[in-house]
Amino acid sequence: MPVDAGPVGRDDSRPRVPGNDTEHAPAGASPLHVLRFLAAALCAKAVVEVGTGSGESALWLLRGMVPDGVLTSIDADAVSQRAARAVLREAGVPTGRTRLIAGRATELLPRLTEGAYDLISVGIATTEYPRYLELGVRLLRPGGVIVFAGVQLASPGARSAMALALRELVRAIQADENLVPVTLPTGPGLLAVAKRA
């Protein structure tokens, strides 16, 4: 079934990627379910994904977005993007609904239009979380949401670069009164942050 078939959030069909275990997860149990839910709840028309991967998360985001919404997916790995493009094509996603851009997100995000995006998904665990927050909040419209994956990868007392980056991310969010965060204990952990103004 094409990704844009059926009313948003109302059909029971799920995006399927070969070898995907998520299709057996109960509703709302996986990070992919959360991404689809957020895209639907926000009536997302413009979404940015950092970390294209296999294209699986792109399918879930597209299923939650409005039928004419456009997903911009950024990944430094051009090989992954070619594979994701094939998955999206196989799923029947019209080419006009996606923009796959190869390159470093920290260099490409500043080129995107400020205040034009409903949802940003940072689907990679990275020590650059604080930089992604700074760049992402600039891109969000008021009421938009940025989601970070992998926020439970570091234990509270850890001193790794990842743990330090996560603590810096949390401090930056807490210091900004216009940001409203929630941690979701699904998969490797999600941190969703809404922009008030």
Side-chain angles (χ1 to χ4, degrees):
M1 173 178 285
V3 169
D4 56 354
V8 174
R10 298 206 184 233
D11 60 299
D12 291 330
S13 60
R14 296 185 181 129
R16 292 202 171 108
V17 175
N20 174 16
D21 294 331
T22 308
E23 65 185 280
H24 301 295
S30 77
L32 296 174
H33 285 94
V34 173
L35 290 177
R36 182 180 183 200
F37 170 81
L38 287 171
L42 293 166
C43 296
K45 186 173 177 96
V47 174
V48 175
E49 175 186 45
V50 176
T52 306
S54 68
E56 180 180 19
S57 59
L59 287 173
W60 283 78
L61 285 163
L62 286 162
R63 289 300 302 267
M65 294 170 67
V66 297
D68 62 340
V70 176
L71 172 71
T72 300
S73 187
I74 301 170
D75 200 303
D77 184 357
V79 174
S80 289
Q81 282 205 322
R82 280 194 294 277
R85 194 177 313 276
V87 166
L88 294 168
R89 186 174 42 250
E90 183 180 310
V93 177
T95 56
R97 293 214 50 213
T98 59
R99 291 190 313 164
L100 274 62
I101 305 171
R104 288 185 42 82
T106 54
E107 295 169 6
L108 294 169
L109 290 173
R111 298 180 192 172
L112 300 180
T113 304
E114 184 174 337
Y117 294 89
D118 305 299
L119 177 62
I120 299 171
S121 171
V122 181
I124 56 174
T126 176
T127 58
E128 295 186 275
Y129 280 138
R131 179 76 174 130
Y132 285 130
L133 176 68
E134 175 188 339
L135 295 170
V137 168
R138 183 189 73 80
L139 297 177
L140 289 174
R141 65 162 171 81
V145 174
I146 184 168
V147 180
F148 298 91
V151 296
Q152 293 177 350
L153 295 177
S155 61
R159 297 190 185 275
S160 68
M162 178 64 78
L164 295 174
L166 286 170
R167 284 196 282 279
E168 185 180 338
L169 173 65
V170 170
R171 278 193 298 274
I173 293 166
Q174 290 173 336
D176 190 334
E177 292 182 9
N178 287 321
L179 300 179
V180 180
V182 63
T183 302
L184 304 169
T186 180
L190 293 177
L191 173 60
V193 183
K195 177 181 176 180
R196 283 188 210 201

